[in-house]
Every structure is written in structure tokens, then in C-alpha cells.
């Protein structure tokens, strides 16, 4: 934290302390506790009435100022002051004065809470408060109006709490002015008959309080009615069938679609799964499975070349690339039955292989390979269409052609010179694998380093490994154009420092700059399903599109493009689609892990150090080096680290990053701990098998414990031991 931020924070705390002390002194000095009572008001009523008759403007001004101060400083007595307005000024004038004074005082309290406390609260609880902040940003006026209409909610508490949220000051004031009007009128009117009021509580009879409660929930009822009207407007052009053939139609048989269909069949719904290409989707056929099979063979190739380090002699280090690619296909074939048509039909899912086209919110047209068509009516639709490799519009690239993460698996010979465009997880994994299998690899990345989503220290270890494998890294280089001259393919790049353009010669170019969601060709545009600026399908927290019975999951919906996040979303989509009339569930991404399978692997869950700094979240960093771990030393993989972020002085885990051998496997312990609220003390108290890589997590927890040892207590314990030796 910078010195300037520390000074600003200290100033705010001092100001807060000054406000609290000033309020306490004023309350005590002027004996406001005695004056702001119903008995005092009754006894002073005649004198105050006479003063108002003689000096009306001064009395109104003084009353207004006192009310604003009481409301702004959250001093008890606002109810008595409101009764006083009715007793002194009558209903009309009293209502006007109290309405504006209370709203202005509320605004001042709101501003004070925002200036003094909001940054501090959001810095410590920002992630926890994120859903509340989002809800307030979207529907804050409704929530505030509800609170203002129910006098049971303390006036001062609403002011302070709203100051901690993103609601604008203008909206807060306007809604407060409107929302408090009715409650103010009731109290002011009661003040006009002050003799009949024995306590402020008498104003709110059970019947009247019940009426306020009903009035308070009216904004929520209104919101529901508006949502109902919006749904009717959305569906207006699409007649709803009298009955449905199916409960659910799922489009796409990747991870998201398969899990959705599985859950629907498990709860005995009639579900149809439509897939236009291969069962298992991108992960099985083009992504996770083949890439990890290739990585395994590439790792073996490197181990063969370094066998002498482990005592090997005369170990051949050559690689048959065609055999490697054959193994990749065998691995796919071995896993394929898990996602097969036969398996899912056996589970009770109707599986159709062909093209789906959404014709209405209730109907999906299916076209089989032979051209035959049928229309399926359904109560709900889940879109799990996945994504496809993005190919940037680089001049000349279309003419030369390129490989992608979908088409690279058709290679039968290892390219002599491979150019990889993109330094993200896919680009780094494939570049390293091909380099280890014998290709001369150049990797071009426009960002200043590879793997920009990870912390710089994690990316640095991957960078060292890529360079050690002979990869030429060109980070901070912008792609310009491709060309073929005399049969030689060249790719031109421009360094970010403005120096001369560089021409890279290559035999094959692998484009790995990301994946684009599949949002065309199956009816989204004709139906009017909304998309986000990132061209994903726009969904709400329940994974519903702008048509409430149509859901989207996986890469086509985002915000993450992981197989496990698609499967995670699928549970919410299936349950909400089938049972949302009774109970809906918001998709929960709070503890979402991911890993990049380079060597060393990089795995992360929760906040990274870079993210914590960018968001202004206070944290402590605990780091354990794998070079100290016995099992890592034994296996010859003693490089990398375990890094854990915790709140200052607490063992609660904000995030963890692991770089090293089997980092993706080691991360699971931290994922479990974060999901169930377990801290580092619990991990430290768990027995870990020796010698294992998993002990690294325990030692990281132990490092945190040593850093937080009670030094003062230990000093006294040492004195005890010294005394006992005498």
C-alpha cells in the first residue's frame, strides 16, 4: 500500500472518529436525550407553539436544521421530531418540512458512510459483496423503496448501509424522498393530535404496521408484475403450444450438453440431445483429451533425452511422430464410449445426430443427415453449442492457410518449422509439445509476456521452461501479414519497441489466439436472442436468455471456457429449466479452478496476486518453494512454488496458485478448502502421506503458521522453560 493511500485512509478514520465524538458531545452537552422525548415535547408544546406564532420563519429554519443534524448524525429522536412537526406546524407544513429535512439528513449520512467507510468495507469484503453490489446496481431503487416504505427498518441504518453500495446519491435521495413520504405523513398526522399519543410506538398499531409491510413489498410485487409483462412481450410473437413433446431439448453434446441431458434423464424428464458433429464435443475430439495425450508423449520424449540424469544408459531419444498421433487417436477412441450415443440412450436420453434450428421458443427443427426434418416441441431449451478456434484477419493468412487446435490433429509429420500465434494456455501447451517432439518452434504473442492471466512469477517459470525447450519467444510483437515468396512462407511481425519488422520463416502456422462462441446457424438471430459485446449468449444469474425458457451453458455463454465450468453450469441450467417454477438457483462461480498443462503446470483458484492488487484487496502472501520438498527433489522436479493469499492476520484462503509438477492435482485441496470455508490451519492439521507432492500444501500452511506465531507468548514460554531448568 502506498504512503499516499495510507495517509488518505488515516485521514478518513480520524474524520470518522471526530464525527462520532462530536455527535456524542452534542448529544450530551445539549441533553438531547432529555429534549428529544415525547414527555418533553408535550410539556414544551405551548411554548414552542407561541414561538412559532411569533417567529414562524426562524422556528421553521431552526427546526429544519435540527432535524437535518439529527438525521445526518443518526442521533435517536427522529420519531419525536416528526411528531413535533405535526404538533407545531400542522399536517401540510409539517409534512413538507419533515419530508425534505429527513431526506437531506439521510443524504448527508449516506455521503458520510460512502466517504468514510465504503472503500474500507469493499476492500475487505468486495468478493463477498459482489452479488449484492450487482443487485443494487441493477435493482437498487426497488430495494431502497421497499426499505423506506416499512418503518420497521431503522431509518439511520438504511442510510449507512446504502452508502456502502454502488447506488448513486441522486437515486438514493429521490427514492428516499418518495419512499418515506407515507410514513412521514402518518407520524406528522399523529403529531397533530399529540395528546392521544403516549409513546412513538402508539403511532404504529399492529394493523397499521401490517399495512406498511404490505406496502413495502409492493415494489417487489411490482417488479414481479413488470417481469411478467416483459415475458409476455417477449413471447408475444410466438404462440405457445397447447402441449409439448418434450420437457427439454439440448443443443450440443459437449460437456455442457452431456451433463444437462444426463441430469434431466436422471430426474425422469423427457429430454432430447441434438449433436451436429461428434459426441463429446470439442473437449474429447479436439481439445482437452488429444492435447493432454500429446503432452504426455512430448514429456516422454524429453525424459528419454535426459535419461542419463536418472542413471539411464544408451537410451534412444528419437520420436516417431506418426505413432504419437496414432496414440492420440487411440486415447480419444478409448474415452469415446463415455460420451457415446449408446451410453446416453441407455441412460434414457433421446439422442439425435444432425442439425438443430430453433424455430420458436417452444420448437426446435431437427434435420437428419439424409435431409429429413422433424419439429420437436419442448417446454425448455438448453443451448450448449460450444466454441470454435478464432482466426484473426491477418493479411495473407487466409491464402496461406493455418492450423488450429481443431485441425492440428490431422498432421502425420512433425513440421520442421512451426510458428505458433498466441501465448495463452493453448499456444504454450502446443508450442512446448511440438518443440519436444522435434519441431523448431517460434511463438508470437502481442502482449508483453505469455500467459497474461497468471501472475508474472508464474508466467516467468513457464517462460524459462519454453526457452529451455528451444522455443523462440517473440513477446510484445504484433502480427502484420503473411506471404509466400519463392515457395517460402514468411510471417511478418513488428516489435512493440518500434524497431524494424521481423520476417519469420515457417512450414506450418498454428493459430491459437482464443476461441469464438458458436452463435450463428441455428436460429439465435431470427429468434432475437441477445448477445453480449463479447459475442457470447447473454444470460442472467440463472443462465436464462432473454427468453426465460431458453438457457445457455458452456463456451457459448461464458464467462469461462473450461470443460469443468460448462459441466458446472449444466447442473444449474437443467435444474432451473425443469424445476425453476418452484425453486431457482444462481450459478455460483466463487470457487472455480483452472490449470494450464505446460511443464511446469500452472494451476489457480480464487484471487491471484495481480488481481488482488488491481482490486485494492488487502492480502498477505505465503509462499513455499518446491525446491525444498523431499518428493520433488527425489523425482527431479524441484522447481516451482505454492502461493497462497489470505486476509491480513487470518488463515482464510482468498486464492492459491501452484506452479510445478502435477499442479492441477495439488490444487484440489485448496479448492475444497475454499468451497467449504476451511483455512490454512485446517490444512496444516491434516495428515499428508510422506513423501508426496501434496505435502507442499501442508508446508505452505506451516509457513503461514510460523509467520503468525505469537512471539510475545513464546517469549514468556521461553522464560518458563528457562526457570524450569534451574
Amino acid at each position: 500500500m502506498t504512503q499516499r493511500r495510507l495517509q488518505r485512509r488515516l485521514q478518513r478514520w480520524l474524520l470518522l472518529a471526530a464525527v462520532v465524538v462530536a455527535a456524542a458531545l452534542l448529544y450530551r452537552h445539549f441533553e438531547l436525550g432529555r429534549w428529544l422525548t415525547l414527555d418533553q415535547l408535550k410539556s414544551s408544546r405551548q411554548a414552542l407553539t407561541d414561538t412559532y406564532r411569533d417567529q414562524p420563519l426562524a422556528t421553521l429554519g431552526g427546526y429544519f436544521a435540527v432535524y437535518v443534524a439529527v438525521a445526518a448524525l443518526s442521533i435517536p429522536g427522529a420519531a419525536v421530531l416528526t411528531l413535533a412537526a405535526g404538533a407545531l406546524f400542522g399536517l401540510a407544513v409539517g409534512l413538507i418540512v419533515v419530508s425534505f429535512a429527513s431526506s437531506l439528513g439521510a443524504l448527508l449520512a449516506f455521503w458520510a458512510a460512502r466517504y468514510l467507510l465504503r472503500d474500507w468495507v469493499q476492500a475487505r469484503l468486495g468478493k463477498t459483496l459482489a452479488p449484492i453490489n450487482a443487485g443494487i446496481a441493477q435493482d437498487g431503487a426497488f430495494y431502497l423503496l421497499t426499505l423506506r416504505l416499512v418503518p420497521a427498518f431503522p431509518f439511520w441504518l438504511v442510510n449507512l448501509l446504502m452508502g456502502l453500495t454502488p447506488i448513486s446519491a441522486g437515486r438514493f435521495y429521490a427514492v428516499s424522498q418518495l419512499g418515506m413520504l407515507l410514513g412521514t405523513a402518518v407520524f406528522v398526522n399523529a403529531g397533530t393530535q399529540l395528546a392521544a399519543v403516549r409513546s412513538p410506538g402508539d403511532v404504529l398499531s399492529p394493523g397499521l404496521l401490517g399495512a406498511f409491510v404490505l406496502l413495502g413489498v409492493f415494489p417487489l410485487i411490482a417488479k414481479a408484475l413488470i417481469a411478467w409483462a416483459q415475458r409476455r412481450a417477449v413471447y408475444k410473437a410466438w404462440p405457445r403450444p397447447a402441449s409439448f413433446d418434450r420437457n427439454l431439448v439440448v443443443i450440443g453434446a459437449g460437456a455442457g450438453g452431456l451433463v444437462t441431458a444426463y441430469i434431466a434423464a436422471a430426474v425422469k424428464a423427457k429430454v432430447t440431445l441434438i449433436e451436429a458433429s461428434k459426441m463429446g464435443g470439442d473437449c474429447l475430439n479436439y481439445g482437452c483429451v488429444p492435447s493432454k495425450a500429446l503432452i504426455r508423449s512430448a514429456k516422454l520424449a524429453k525424459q528419454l533425452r535426459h535419461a542419463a540424469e536418472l542413471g539411464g544408459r544408451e537410451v534412444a531419444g528419437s520420436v516417431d511422430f506418426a505413432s504419437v498421433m496414432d496414440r492420440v487417436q487411440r486415447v480419444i477412441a478409448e474415452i469415446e464410449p463415455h460420451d457415446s450415443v449408446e451410453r446416453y440412450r441407455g441412460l434414457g436420453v433421446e439422442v439425435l445426430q444432425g442439425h438443430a434450428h430453433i424455430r420458436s421458443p417452444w420448437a426446435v427443427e431437427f434435420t437428419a443427415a439424409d435431409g429429413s426434418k422433424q419439429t420437436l416441441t419442448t417446454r425448455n431449451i438448453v443451448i450448449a453449442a460450444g466454441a470454435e478456434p478464432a482466426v484473426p484477419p491477418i493479411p495473407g493468412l487466409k491464402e496461406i492457410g493455418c492450423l488450429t487446435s481443431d485441425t492440428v490433429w490431422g498432421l502425420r509429420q512433425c513440421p520442421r518449422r512451426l510458428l505458433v500465434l498466441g501465448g495463452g494456455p493453448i499456444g504454450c501447451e502446443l508450442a512446448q509439445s511440438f518443440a519436444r517432439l522435434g519441431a523448431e518452434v517460434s511463438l508470437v504473442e502481442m502482449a508483453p509476456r505469455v500467459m497474461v492471466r497468471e501472475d508474472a512469477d508464474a508466467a516467468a517459470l513457464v517462460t524459462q521452461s519454453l526457452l529451455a525447450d528451444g522455443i523462440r519467444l517473440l513477446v510484445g510483437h504484433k502480427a502484420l501479414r503473411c506471404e509466400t515468396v519463392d515457395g517460402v512462407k514468411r510471417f511478418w511481425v513488428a516489435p512493440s519497441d518500434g524497431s524494424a519488422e521481423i520476417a519469420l520463416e515457417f512450414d506450418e502456422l498454428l493459430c491459437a489466439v482464443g476461441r469464438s462462441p458458436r452463435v450463428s446457424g441455428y436460429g439465435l438471430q431470427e429468434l432475437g436472442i441477445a448477445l453480449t459485446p463479447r459475442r457470447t449468449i447473454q444470460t442472467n444469474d440463472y443462465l436464462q436468455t432473454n427468453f426465460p425458457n431458453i438457457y445457455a451453458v458452456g463456451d457459448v455463454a461464458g464467462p469461462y471456457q473450461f470443460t469443468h465450468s460448462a459441466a458446472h453450469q449444466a447442473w444449474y441450467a437443467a435444474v432451473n429449466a425443469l424445476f425453476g417454477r418452484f425453486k431457482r438457483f444462481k450459478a455460483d462461480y466463487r470457487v472455480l479452478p483452472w490449470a494450464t498443462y505446460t511443464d511446469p503446470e500452472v494451476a489457480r483458484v480464487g484471487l491471484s496476486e495481480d488481481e488482488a492488487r488491481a482490486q485494492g484487496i488487502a492480502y498477505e502472501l505465503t509462499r513455499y518453494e518446491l525446491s525444498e520438498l523431499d518428493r520433488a527433489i527425489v523425482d527431479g522436479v524441484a522447481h516451482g512454488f505454492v502461493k497462497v493469499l489470505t486476509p491480513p492476520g487470518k488463515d482464510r484462503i482468498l486464492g492459491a496458485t501452484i506452479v510445478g509438477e502435477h499442479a492441477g492435482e495439488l490444487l484440489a485441496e485448496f479448492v475444497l478448502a475454499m468451497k467449504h470455508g476451511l483455512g490454512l490451519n485446517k490444512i496444516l492439521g491434516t495428515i499428508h502421506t510422506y513423501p508426496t507432492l501434496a505435502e507442499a500444501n501442508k508446508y505452505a500452511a506451516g509457513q503461514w503458521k510460523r509467520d503468525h506465531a505469537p512471539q510475545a507468548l513464546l517469549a514468556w514460554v521461553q522464560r518458563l522453560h528457562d526457570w524450569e531448568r534451574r
Side-chain angles (χ1 to χ4, degrees):
M1 185 179 297
T2 64
Q3 185 176 0
R4 185 177 178 182
R5 288 182 63 189
L6 282 171
Q7 290 176 343
R8 188 164 62 244
R9 179 168 294 179
L10 180 59
Q11 290 172 354
R12 292 185 180 184
W13 279 110
L14 290 174
L15 181 57
L16 176 61
V19 170
V20 172
V21 171
L25 291 175
L26 286 172
Y27 190 81
R28 183 173 181 180
H29 178 74
F30 291 103
E31 298 183 338
L32 295 180
R34 180 171 67 87
W35 286 102
L36 296 177
T37 64
L38 191 58
D39 290 339
Q40 183 64 35
L41 174 61
K42 287 182 176 182
S43 63
S44 307
R45 180 182 182 183
Q46 188 58 49
L48 293 170
T49 302
D50 293 341
T51 303
Y52 175 56
R53 185 186 62 245
D54 298 335
Q55 304 178 44
L57 293 179
T59 305
L60 282 171
Y63 174 88
F64 188 90
V66 169
Y67 202 116
V68 169
V70 167
L73 296 173
S74 303
I75 295 174
V80 173
L81 279 176
T82 307
L83 290 169
L88 298 177
F89 313 130
L91 179 59
V93 175
L95 180 59
I96 293 172
V97 172
V98 172
S99 176
F100 283 96
S102 60
S103 298
L104 181 57
L107 181 61
L108 293 175
F110 169 91
W111 271 334
R114 173 154 295 183
Y115 178 75
L116 297 173
L117 295 173
R118 186 175 68 166
D119 291 348
W120 180 79
V121 171
Q122 292 290 344
R124 278 153 181 76
L125 303 174
K127 198 165 185 180
T128 302
L129 295 175
I132 298 175
N133 291 337
I136 291 294
Q138 182 176 350
D139 298 312
F142 277 110
Y143 296 140
L144 178 57
L145 186 59
T146 300
L147 296 174
R148 288 304 193 202
L149 285 170
V150 183
F153 292 103
F155 172 86
W156 61 272
L157 185 60
V158 174
N159 301 336
L160 298 181
L161 291 179
M162 281 293 168
L164 306 179
T165 72
I167 191 171
S168 67
R171 178 174 294 185
F172 172 84
Y173 178 82
V175 174
S176 295
Q177 186 79 48
L178 174 64
M180 292 189 294
L181 191 61
L182 188 57
T184 300
V186 170
F187 272 84
V188 172
N189 181 63
T192 62
Q193 289 135 42
L194 190 62
V197 179
R198 296 181 180 178
S199 73
D202 291 343
V203 179
L204 296 177
S205 64
L208 184 58
L209 190 58
F212 271 121
V213 171
L214 290 177
L215 189 62
V217 300
F218 175 75
L220 301 180
I221 296 173
K223 182 181 177 182
L225 291 173
I226 291 171
W228 176 80
Q230 289 173 337
R231 285 195 298 269
R232 282 186 60 87
V234 166
Y235 290 117
K236 185 177 181 180
W238 311 99
R240 178 184 171 115
S243 62
F244 300 95
D245 302 327
R246 291 154 180 82
N247 300 100
L248 186 63
V249 169
V250 182
I251 299 175
L258 290 172
V259 174
T260 301
Y262 179 96
I263 293 171
V267 296
K268 306 305 179 184
K270 187 172 183 182
V271 53
T272 297
L273 175 64
I274 302 175
E275 173 54 54
S277 183
K278 296 180 179 181
M279 294 288 288
D282 299 330
C283 180
L284 172 64
N285 299 287
Y286 313 113
C288 312
V289 171
S291 65
K292 303 314 166 278
L294 185 73
I295 288 170
R296 179 66 185 92
S297 295
K299 187 172 185 177
L300 174 63
K302 180 172 183 178
Q303 289 172 337
L304 290 173
R305 288 193 292 271
H306 293 81
E309 297 175 6
L310 298 177
R313 291 290 182 271
E314 299 180 1
V315 178
S318 61
V319 173
D320 183 343
F321 185 80
S323 295
V324 169
M325 299 305 277
D326 286 342
R327 179 182 178 272
V328 169
Q329 296 304 317
R330 288 198 305 273
V331 169
I332 294 173
E334 189 172 345
I335 296 176
E336 208 168 34
H338 301 169
D339 301 339
S340 65
V341 172
E342 293 74 19
R343 180 182 181 227
Y344 275 80
R345 285 177 178 167
L347 293 170
V349 178
E350 179 187 34
V351 181
L352 301 178
Q353 292 187 284
H355 184 73
H357 196 105
I358 305 173
R359 295 299 181 185
S360 85
W362 323 106
V364 177
E365 181 182 79
F366 168 71
T367 304
D370 60 6
S372 60
K373 299 178 183 291
Q374 63 173 310
T375 299
L376 317 175
T377 60
T378 177
R379 286 187 62 92
N380 300 284
I381 299 170
V382 172
I383 301 170
E388 57 194 2
V391 178
I394 298 172
L397 181 59
K398 185 176 181 180
E399 291 73 19
I400 288 181
C402 67
L403 298 169
T404 68
S405 56
D406 281 7
T407 60
V408 69
W409 312 111
L411 289 176
R412 301 298 298 168
Q413 290 184 340
C414 184
R416 184 172 69 86
R417 297 170 301 182
L418 176 67
L419 176 64
V420 177
L421 187 60
I426 296 174
C428 288
E429 288 180 2
L430 293 179
Q432 187 173 52
S433 295
F434 275 91
R436 291 179 169 186
L437 292 170
E440 297 176 13
V441 179
S442 298
L443 188 151
V444 176
E445 169 56 51
M446 187 165 59
R449 60 177 172 84
V450 298
M451 296 180 63
V452 293
R453 292 187 64 185
E454 307 298 341
D455 283 337
D457 52 0
L461 285 179
V462 174
T463 298
Q464 293 173 14
S465 182
L466 296 178
L467 293 172
D469 284 320
I471 297 173
R472 182 184 182 187
L473 285 181
L474 294 98
V475 296
H477 285 68
K478 182 180 179 181
L480 297 177
R481 62 189 179 277
C482 296
E483 63 183 14
T484 302
V485 178
D486 297 330
V488 178
K489 298 177 181 178
R490 291 191 178 93
F491 190 89
W492 290 86
V493 297
S496 58
D497 61 8
S499 55
E501 297 177 359
I502 301 172
L504 305 172
E505 296 184 355
F506 65 94
D507 298 308
E508 294 286 357
L509 188 152
L510 173 61
C511 191
V513 295
R515 298 178 64 81
S516 302
R518 295 188 180 99
V519 293
S520 61
Y522 54 94
L524 301 189
Q525 288 73 24
E526 298 91 324
L527 201 61
I529 290 179
L531 303 180
T532 70
R534 297 178 59 211
R535 302 294 296 170
T536 57
I537 295 177
Q538 183 173 305
T539 61
N540 62 13
D541 292 338
Y542 305 98
L543 299 174
Q544 294 170 297
T545 66
N546 51 307
F547 289 89
N549 73 310
I550 300 180
Y551 297 74
V553 301
D555 292 358
V556 76
Y560 304 99
Q561 290 189 337
F562 305 128
T563 297
H564 49 280
S565 64
H568 179 71
Q569 288 177 322
W571 183 92
Y572 292 95
V575 172
N576 288 337
L578 298 173
F579 304 108
R581 300 183 306 282
F582 312 108
K583 173 67 176 176
R584 296 191 303 168
F585 298 89
K586 292 183 179 181
D588 181 5
Y589 307 111
R590 289 174 298 175
V591 184
L592 183 71
W594 66 75
T596 300
Y597 297 93
T598 49
D599 183 5
E601 291 182 10
V602 180
R604 175 156 74 88
V605 62
L607 278 177
S608 70
E609 194 174 1
D610 289 347
E611 289 173 342
R613 281 195 294 262
Q615 297 174 27
I617 297 175
Y619 68 92
E620 288 184 2
L621 177 65
T622 300
R623 180 175 173 128
Y624 174 75
E625 299 292 337
L626 295 182
S627 59
E628 302 293 325
L629 185 66
D630 292 358
R631 181 57 185 267
I633 295 171
V634 168
D635 288 350
V637 291
H639 51 266
F641 57 80
V642 176
K643 183 167 65 171
V644 187
L645 273 63
T646 54
K650 299 180 180 179
D651 76 331
R652 179 170 59 88
I653 302 168
L654 297 174
T657 298
I658 303 178
V659 181
E661 188 82 355
H662 296 304
E665 311 291 340
L666 300 180
L667 188 70
E669 188 168 18
F670 288 112
V671 177
L672 179 71
M674 291 182 66
K675 179 67 176 177
H676 298 285
L678 305 177
L680 291 177
N681 279 313
K682 296 293 185 182
I683 292 178
L684 181 60
T686 301
I687 299 174
H688 292 68
T689 308
Y690 177 87
T692 59
L693 295 175
E695 284 187 295
N697 297 340
K698 180 186 74 173
Y699 291 137
Q703 181 62 52
W704 179 90
K705 192 71 171 180
R706 285 191 296 275
D707 293 342
H708 293 82
Q711 298 300 332
L713 177 60
L714 290 176
W716 281 101
V717 171
Q718 182 178 5
R719 292 179 184 179
L720 172 64
H721 293 322
D722 293 343
W723 176 78
E724 288 182 333
R725 291 198 303 271
R726 293 175 186 171

